[in-house]
Amino acid sequence: VDKIICIFRLIQDKDRFEGFYKSSFSKRLLNNKSASDEAEKLLISKLKTECGCQYTQKLEVMMKDVALSGDFMKRLKALNYFKRFPIDLNVRILTTGNWPLDGNMTLCNLPKELADSSRILTDYYMQKHTGRILNWKLNMGQVDMRAHIGNQGKKYEITMTTYQACVAMLFNDREKISFEDINQITQIPS
């Protein structure tokens, strides 16, 4: 971390660095790809010492959002609301304006299992946090799906986007479907 700060001191356009760092930092946080939370916190602390609290404020909020989201999901799962669904939902609730994400809402028609569980999560969240607005960023989602493919039912675990999962789940009750039907059923934005 000290070597990174030495290099950081040599950078003239620190705002540009902040943009690149925030973008890669957000991807690491959202995809659980950070090598060490402690190292991330230490670097943010050192950046704060170098540039002041305004420079790292959004980064600190991002770390806090991920921690609060984890706590929220643990509390919700402890209530066993999702027991009847064949999915393990894990959602990140992010503070608007602090994350370098596309501002557009990207909705589609979710399969029943996903729609029901997201509705339960939304209802629970709104009970706990009245007056807030919860926007779903389906284009940022990731699904780990277990699939049985072929006549022998060979099992695979596939990581895909939420949109890809919406399409794949259409094949749970049919073998063939046209592109036009997929488009009409899912309403995935193009």
Side-chain angles (χ1 to χ4, degrees), residues 53-65:
C53 60
Q54 285 287 4
Y55 191 80
T56 59
Q57 181 179 9
K58 289 183 178 184
L59 300 172
E60 291 169 329
V61 170
M62 291 164 67
M63 290 282 291
K64 183 178 175 186
D65 283 350

Side-chain angles (χ1 to χ4, degrees), residues 6-35:
C6 287
I7 293 170
F8 176 76
R9 289 179 182 139
L10 301 172
I11 297 173
Q12 290 181 359
D13 193 350
K14 294 193 179 2
D15 290 335
R16 185 172 231 172
F17 170 85
E18 178 194 15
F20 285 119
Y21 181 78
K22 192 185 331 177
S23 177
S24 60
F25 181 62
S26 69
K27 289 174 187 170
R28 287 193 305 274
L29 287 177
L30 293 176
N31 296 316
N32 291 325
K33 299 291 184 189
S34 181

Side-chain angles (χ1 to χ4, degrees), residues 93-119:
I93 299 171
L94 313 176
T95 306
T96 303
N98 291 302
W99 291 78
L101 305 174
D102 179 6
N104 298 329
M105 281 190 45
T106 50
L107 298 177
C108 71
N109 293 329
L110 294 171
K112 182 173 177 18
E113 299 89 349
L114 295 176
D116 290 347
S117 57
S118 65
R119 194 171 12 266

Side-chain angles (χ1 to χ4, degrees), residues 114-142:
L114 295 176
D116 290 347
S117 57
S118 65
R119 194 171 12 266
I120 288 170
L121 185 139
T122 299
D123 291 347
Y124 180 75
Y125 182 82
M126 298 313 281
Q127 287 174 2
K128 299 292 178 190
H129 306 282
T130 55
R132 292 189 186 174
I133 298 171
L134 194 60
N135 294 317
W136 290 86
K137 300 283 189 178
L138 299 178
N139 60 320
M140 300 296 297
Q142 180 175 307

Side-chain angles (χ1 to χ4, degrees), residues 109 167 170-171 174 176-188:
N109 293 329
V167 172
L170 291 174
F171 291 92
R174 59 181 71 101
K176 293 181 183 178
I177 187 169
S178 70
F179 176 76
E180 291 79 18
D181 287 344
I182 291 171
N183 204 14
Q184 185 178 14
I185 293 169
T186 63
Q187 296 291 304
I188 294 172

